[in-house]
DNA sequence: TTCACTGCAAAAGATTTGCACCCTC
DNA sequence: GAGGGTGCAAATCTTTTGCAGTGAA
């Protein structure tokens, strides 16, 4: 199976773009992250090790990573765009705790199927979807008792 | 059944806030809109009739409308926050056409139910959810043939 | 009379862009 | 060597906020 780095390299050359040390650094940092990173978070992590990389490059590279299919943009409605791993990770939806901010990733095949049906009923051909379930997680429920 | 205006008035007085001509104007303009309006769109509409209302007031009032339960914020990931009618309108999800921007509102009771189940399985108590299905609508499919 | 409300302009915060120099292919 | 890439700072764009004056209750 191809590594994320291979995918990215291939994407770059296909688009006649270039691999650079900065892009490598940012890709590595991104791959080392779990969860959902914002551009700024990633920038701060990277800066600790290589302070010569600029914010703009991180923004630009994350966009490229999304285009190449390695990253996926997710929006929790808090004003910051985050990115999560996409390549090698299955599609999933998000359960977001409104109190502590924890997010859980989950999929329900039945829901996925019904979404297709619903789209078809309205004449749509789906390209992708986003589902966010907002609520209170177990821990926060216990806490507030 | 209470009108949206009543709801808003009650909300204001409960919060010790005041009803003002500006708020009345903005509420009216919002209620006259169908679909999903951004603050700026609403501001532009209002300005045609009363150019003395400021942007900031529109932003501030839409926030109030959302708090009072009359409006609901929706985010189609295009950088602008939109508001749609909530009071007197059932909950629904969105089908968004990525080509022409059309949105269709839809609900599937079965999906709604499964969402609850999914949340329960992960120990969450749901407060609300958002589901966006992105794809290509009938018209745009026909167009590109 | 008392605070909340408003318009304005300035501020803030996230992201994008212009530009001159740098470096990959 | 050509053309894309980079850092930096300035520019954008949406939304928020400070302030001094205005007005609803």
């Amino acid at each position: 199976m191809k590594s994320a780095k291979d995918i990215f390299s291939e994407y770059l050359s296909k688009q006649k773009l270039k691999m650079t040390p900065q892009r490598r650094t940012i890709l590595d940092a991104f791959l080392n992250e779990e969860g959902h990173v914002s551009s700024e978070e990633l920038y701060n992590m990277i800066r600790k090790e290589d302070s010569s990389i600029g914010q703009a490059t991180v923004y630009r590279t994350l966009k490229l990573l999304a285009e190449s299919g390695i990253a996926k943009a997710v929006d929790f409605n808090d004003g910051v765009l985050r990115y999560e791993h996409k390549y090698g990770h299955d599609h999933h939806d998000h359960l977001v705790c409104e109190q502590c901010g924890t997010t859980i990733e989950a999929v329900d095949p039945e829901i996925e199927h019904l979404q297709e049906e619903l789209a078809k009923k309205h004449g749509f051909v789906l390209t992708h979807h986003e589902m966010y379930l907002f609520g209170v997680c177990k821990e926060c429920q216990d806490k507030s008792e």
Side-chain angles (χ1 to χ4, degrees), chain A:
Chain A
M1 180 178 170
K2 286 176 193 167
S3 71
K5 296 184 190 191
D6 293 339
I7 298 281
F8 192 42
S9 298
E10 282 170 25
Y11 175 78
L12 290 180
S13 62
K14 202 180 302 169
Q15 306 290 314
K16 301 209 169 67
L17 303 175
K18 293 166 186 168
M19 178 54 94
T20 65
Q22 288 90 334
R23 287 179 179 167
R24 238 185 294 272
T25 303
I26 294 169
L27 173 58
D28 283 344
F30 174 71
L31 292 175
N32 277 330
E33 269 308 304
E34 287 303 318
H36 315 91
V37 229
S38 68
S39 178
E40 193 169 12
E41 281 160 7
L42 207 55
Y43 171 61
N44 287 330
M45 315 216 55
I46 290 169
R47 197 153 47 148
K48 285 180 196 152
E49 280 153 39
D50 179 354
S51 59
S52 74
I53 288 190
Q55 281 251 37
T57 303
V58 179
Y59 274 100
R60 285 188 277 231
T61 304
L62 279 174
K63 212 168 234 184
L64 280 179
L65 289 177
E67 285 163 18
S68 73
I70 288 170
K72 174 169 173 18
V74 288
D75 186 352
F76 296 157
N77 264 334
D78 62 351
V80 212
L81 198 56
R82 292 160 205 288
Y83 290 87
E84 64 180 22
H85 296 190
K86 181 176 179 190
Y87 177 68
H89 292 243
D90 287 341
H91 157 74
H92 56 256
D93 297 305
H94 295 97
L95 278 152
V96 183
C97 175
E98 292 179 308
Q99 272 169 43
C100 64
T102 304
T103 66
I104 292 181
E105 300 175 348
V107 218
D108 183 324
E110 226 178 315
I111 292 180
E112 301 289 314
H113 175 243
L114 289 172
Q115 287 171 330
E116 283 291 344
E117 294 287 305
L118 181 60
K120 202 181 296 172
K121 191 165 30 174
H122 290 277
F124 267 62
V125 173
L126 282 195
T127 55
H128 64 286
H129 69 259
E130 287 176 29
M131 188 173 92
Y132 300 99
L133 305 180
F134 298 96
V136 184
C137 72
K138 194 87 189 66
E139 285 67 39
C140 289
Q141 288 168 46
D142 294 346
K143 226 176 286 169
S144 60
E145 259 167 22

